[in-house]
Amino acid sequence: MIRTATPADVPVIHALIRELAEYEKASEEARASVEQLGEALFGERPAAFAHMAVDDESGEPVGFALWFLNFSTWRGVHGIYLEDLYVRPAARGGGHGRALLAELARICGERGYGRLEWSVLNWNRPAIGFYEALGARPQDEWTVYRLTGEALAALGSGR
């Protein structure tokens, strides 16, 4: 049901990312190319990792989890930051999302990582309910900040 992604999965992962962006009402923001994704996952210095959820009968991919390592200065160990988790609507309710998260939790335990964390859009009540049913809890005391575009360029150039 869950397997590590391979280079042959990159076009499918790219398509799933596009589907996720559409679901999150942000299609115009999903600009990564298949080539960029392949380099990030399988290049000389991979920056991210992925797992595939596949249909038991057909073997066709129905979802994915894309993640990378973070580091806790307080705990002194790595953790996993889950950038994207997506299961196609027709396959939801089949245990694929839970199985993807369980695989990442297993990796955390096996490698001594201290946490598994991710962000979820406030309006995505089905996902929030799913995560909370697994025992995940929101980190309400933290607010995510982001620099992109012109603000990022300005700060980086000293403007």
Side-chain angles (χ1 to χ4, degrees):
M1 178 182 271
I2 303 302
R3 62 173 174 74
T4 303
T6 68
D9 292 314
V10 172
V12 174
I13 295 169
H14 186 262
L16 291 167
I17 290 169
R18 303 285 305 166
E19 289 178 30
L20 172 61
E22 186 176 318
Y23 174 76
E24 291 185 350
K25 302 171 181 70
S27 296
E28 67 286 347
E29 295 180 40
R31 297 185 191 122
S33 68
V34 171
E35 293 75 23
Q36 287 172 311
L37 190 57
E39 182 64 26
L41 292 169
F42 301 104
E44 188 175 315
R45 293 176 47 195
F49 309 92
H51 285 79
M52 306 301 295
V54 297
D55 182 82
D56 286 336
E57 292 178 20
S58 70
E60 291 297 313
V62 295
F64 79 108
L66 193 143
W67 57 277
F68 55 88
L69 294 179
N70 58 19
F71 185 80
S72 170
T73 57
W74 290 16
R75 292 180 177 219
V77 296
H78 283 290
I80 287 178
Y81 186 84
L82 175 61
E83 179 66 21
D84 286 329
L85 173 73
Y86 179 73
V87 175
R88 288 185 160 141
R92 291 181 190 157
H96 302 290
R98 185 182 201 294
L100 285 163
L101 286 170
E103 176 61 10
L104 298 186
R106 186 195 66 73
I107 291 169
C108 285
E110 177 182 273
R111 298 180 187 177
Y113 297 164
R115 62 176 84 155
L116 170 58
E117 57 190 4
W118 60 92
S119 297
V120 61
L121 291 165
N122 292 332
W123 58 258
N124 194 344
R125 300 307 308 166
I128 291 168
F130 169 67
Y131 297 142
E132 289 182 352
L134 294 175
R137 296 294 169 251
Q139 301 298 297
D140 294 335
E141 66 273 13
W142 294 90
T143 300
V144 176
Y145 282 84
R146 179 178 295 161
L147 279 172
T148 61
E150 181 56 34
L152 178 63
L155 181 61
S157 67
R159 290 186 269 148

